[in-house]
Amino acid sequence: MKNSKFIHLVDTTLRDGSHAVSHQFTAEQVAAIAGGLDAAGVEYIEVSHGDGLAGSSFNYGWSAVSEEELLKAASGAIKKGKLTVLLLPGIGTVEDLKMAADCGAKVVRVATHVTEADIGEQHISIAKKMGMMAVGFLMMAHMVPPEKVVEQAKLFESYGADYINIADSAGAMLPEDVKARVGAVVEAVKVPVGFHAHNNLTLATANALAAVEAGATFLDGTCRGLGAGAGNAQTEALVGVLDKAGYQTGIDFYKIMDVAEDIVEPIMHRPQVVRNAPLMLGYAGVYSSFLLHTYRAAEKFNLDPRDILVELGRRRMVGGQEDMIVDVAYQLAQKRGGA
C-alpha cells in the first residue's frame, strides 16, 4: 500500500559529485546528466562547483569550465525540474547569485557551518527578493547537539528560508543521531526539513530513511553516490528504497537507474567505494570534501592519510579550512622527523 507522503529528491550529482571528478565536468556532460535527471522526473537538479558558486579557486580546486557555462548548459537541458545552486557565504557572493539566476537557477541553497546560520541572512533575503526559492543548509550537523541545530534552523526560518536542510557533511552520524537532529528540527519549525547524507560509514541510505521517518520531506542524493568522501546516498537507490517503504517521489525508477548507469558511471574517475581514508572521515567526523586534499598532502609529505584525518578531526576543522590540511600534514611530518 502506497503512503500518501511525498518525498522531494534533490539530485546533487552535478555539485557534490564535482568533488569526485576534481571539478572537471564539461558542459556536454552537465547537459547530458541534467537532461537525463529531468526526464526521469527529478524535481531539483543542483549544479555548482563542489564548494558552491565561485568555488573554483586554488584553495578548493579549479573547475575545467566556468560555472556560467555549466549552468547555461544545465538550464538548456532542464524542461520540468528546477535548476538549483549551492552558495557558501564567504565563497559565493550576491553577484554570483545574480549570475546564477540569470542563467536560469530557480533555487539557491545557502550553506553555512551548523553554528553560523546568521552569515546567510543577507543571501536568503536577496534570493527571496529575486523570486528564488531559498533553502537554509546547515553543514557538519554532527558537531553539535540537537538543541543547537534547532537554534540555527530557527534563524534560517526567520530569514525566510523555504525549507531547512540538515547535512551530515562528514558522514559521521548513526541513524539515531539523524533522528534526534531531524526530529528536533521538524518539531521546532513550520517549514519543511531535508537531509543530506554522506556514505563514509556506509550509512547514507539508512540515514536518509531515518530522516524521513523523523519527518524530513526533502532528501539529497547523487547518481552512483558520486560525491565527496565516500560519496552520497545514491539517488537511484533512494528512489527504490522509498518506493519499497511506501513513499512517493515522482521519479521513474528505471529511468533514474539508466541515468546512473549509462550517463554518470562512464565519466566517473573511480568507483565510489568506502576505502580506508573515507571510512576514517566518518569515524573522525571530518568534512567529506577534505578527502582529495588529504590524499595529496599525504603523498607530498609521505604520511598515512588516516593520520592526517585523525588530527583534522581532533582539531575540529570545518569546511572552508582546506588550506590548513597542508599545515597539519607539514606539522605531522616535522614531528615524525624529530622523533
Side-chain angles (χ1 to χ4, degrees), residues 37 222-225 234 236 254-266 268:
L37 292 170
T222 63
C223 289
R224 281 294 181 267
Q234 285 184 238
E236 64 275 19
Y254 280 18
K255 286 184 178 179
I256 194 67
M257 284 195 290
D258 290 344
V259 172
E261 188 148 313
D262 300 337
I263 306 176
V264 175
E265 188 171 317
M268 291 170 64

Side-chain angles (χ1 to χ4, degrees), residues 165-182:
N165 213 49
I166 298 166
D168 182 16
S169 314
M173 290 191 201
L174 303 179
E176 56 261 37
D177 301 321
V178 175
K179 285 186 176 181
R181 286 158 179 79
V182 171

Side-chain angles (χ1 to χ4, degrees), residues 3-193:
N3 192 315
S4 60
K5 190 171 183 180
F6 192 93
I7 305 300
H8 305 270
L9 290 190
V10 181
D11 187 280
T12 182
T13 304
L14 294 170
R15 198 278 302 168
D16 213 326
S18 180
H19 290 295
V21 298
S22 300
H23 314 294
Q24 299 303 294
F25 281 129
T26 66
E28 292 75 20
Q29 290 168 342
V30 166
I33 294 170
L37 292 170
D38 187 62
V42 175
E43 277 187 282
Y44 302 92
I45 300 168
E46 189 171 73
V47 180
S48 308
H49 183 279
D51 291 283
L53 294 176
S56 180
S57 62
F58 176 79
N59 201 29
Y60 301 113
W62 297 104
S63 298
V65 178
S66 76
E67 216 150 35
E68 185 172 3
E69 187 175 344
L70 296 182
L71 288 169
K72 286 179 178 177
S75 183
I78 296 171
K79 307 304 179 188
K80 297 175 291 183
K82 295 180 177 67
L83 177 59
T84 302
V85 293
L86 187 81
L87 185 148
L88 278 67
I91 299 176
T93 67
V94 169
E95 289 305 311
D96 296 310
L97 182 56
K98 290 177 179 175
M99 176 276 293
D102 288 342
C103 291
K106 306 297 184 189
V107 184
V108 60
R109 305 205 298 173
V110 179
T112 74
H113 184 60
V114 69
T115 59
E116 298 176 352
D118 59 313
I119 68 172
E121 179 177 9
Q122 178 189 26
H123 304 81
I124 294 281
S125 174
I126 290 173
K128 297 294 290 181
K129 289 176 182 174
M130 291 167 58
M132 299 180 78
M133 178 178 176
V135 180
F137 192 113
L138 293 169
M139 300 186 291
M140 298 291 279
H142 77 282
M143 294 186 73
V144 297
E147 298 76 25
K148 188 67 175 178
V149 183
V150 165
E151 171 195 285
Q152 299 296 301
K154 284 183 171 180
L155 284 178
F156 266 136
E157 183 182 36
S158 73
Y159 304 152
D162 291 292
Y163 83 84
I164 310 299
N165 213 49
I166 298 166
D168 182 16
S169 314
M173 290 191 201
L174 303 179
E176 56 261 37
D177 301 321
V178 175
K179 285 186 176 181
R181 286 158 179 79
V182 171
V185 174
V186 168
E187 286 292 317
V189 301
K190 294 182 174 65
V191 296
V193 176

